Amino acid sequence: MRDKTSEALNELLPLARDGRDFYSWAALQHTAPGLRDVFRALTSAKAELINDLSVHVATLVDPPALDSTLKGGLRKAYTEVRAKFTLDLDPMLISQLEEAEDQLLRACEEAVHDDSAELRASVARYLPRVRASHDRMRDLKYAFAR
């Protein structure tokens, strides 16, 4: 079961890296100062999650995954291109970041319903933080849609 738990946690690491890298990039864009602060805070939250997941995977005697996902890289590249042609950057950034949060949350929720008790317990440790980040972006997305 350790292998399954380690493998599943290692699948979450690249998704968290995608989010960290995307938030970091978004914080450097010409956004409202309050949003910049949110993006920086979520960059830090993702960095902490990556660190905690990496340590957890290492305790399972596996090397932590060090890469990001192709999908995450493509989403960021797509957003970078769109940003060059978008007058109102903030809603577009928020929408794309919320989609990245959706992907990580879905992966965690799938893992927490696995038949492995060790995997469920491991992912349950991180789920509240992942859900909080997701909910923050979802709420921002709805606020900008009004």
Side-chain angles (χ1 to χ4, degrees):
M1 285 301 171
R2 282 182 152 329
D3 291 338
K4 183 176 186 177
T5 301
S6 175
E7 183 179 312
L9 294 178
N10 259 332
E11 289 175 9
L12 298 178
L13 274 165
L15 295 173
R17 274 194 189 84
D18 289 346
R20 180 203 58 202
D21 296 346
F22 204 169
Y23 281 118
S24 179
W25 175 81
L28 297 174
Q29 303 312 302
H30 297 287
T31 61
L35 276 182
R36 239 187 329 258
D37 293 342
V38 169
F39 296 157
R40 286 182 183 135
L42 289 168
T43 299
S44 295
K46 290 291 182 263
E48 289 174 21
L49 177 62
I50 291 163
N51 184 59
D52 291 352
L53 280 168
S54 297
V55 168
H56 191 149
V57 169
T59 65
L60 300 172
V61 194
D62 270 347
L66 300 174
D67 55 348
S68 297
T69 68
L70 176 61
K71 185 176 183 178
L74 291 173
R75 177 181 289 120
K76 184 174 168 276
Y78 166 75
T79 304
E80 288 174 5
V81 170
R82 273 190 67 196
K84 293 177 194 261
F85 303 102
T86 301
L87 294 177
D88 195 3
L89 182 63
D90 294 341
M92 190 262 302
L93 283 175
I94 290 168
S95 177
Q96 293 298 312
L97 288 162
E98 196 257 346
E99 284 183 33
E101 290 292 347
D102 281 346
Q103 188 177 4
L104 179 58
L105 180 60
R106 255 191 319 274
C108 286
E109 287 176 339
E110 286 174 16
V112 87
H113 290 98
D114 193 85
D115 59 348
S116 162
E118 183 179 11
L119 177 56
R120 286 193 312 269
S122 293
V123 174
R125 293 167 53 179
Y126 306 108
L127 191 56
R129 287 193 279 174
V130 170
R131 190 170 282 131
S133 293
H134 171 272
D135 291 352
R136 191 165 190 189
M137 290 312 298
R138 182 204 57 214
D139 294 346
L140 275 173
K141 181 179 170 183
Y142 290 140
F144 271 84
R146 291 182 193 158

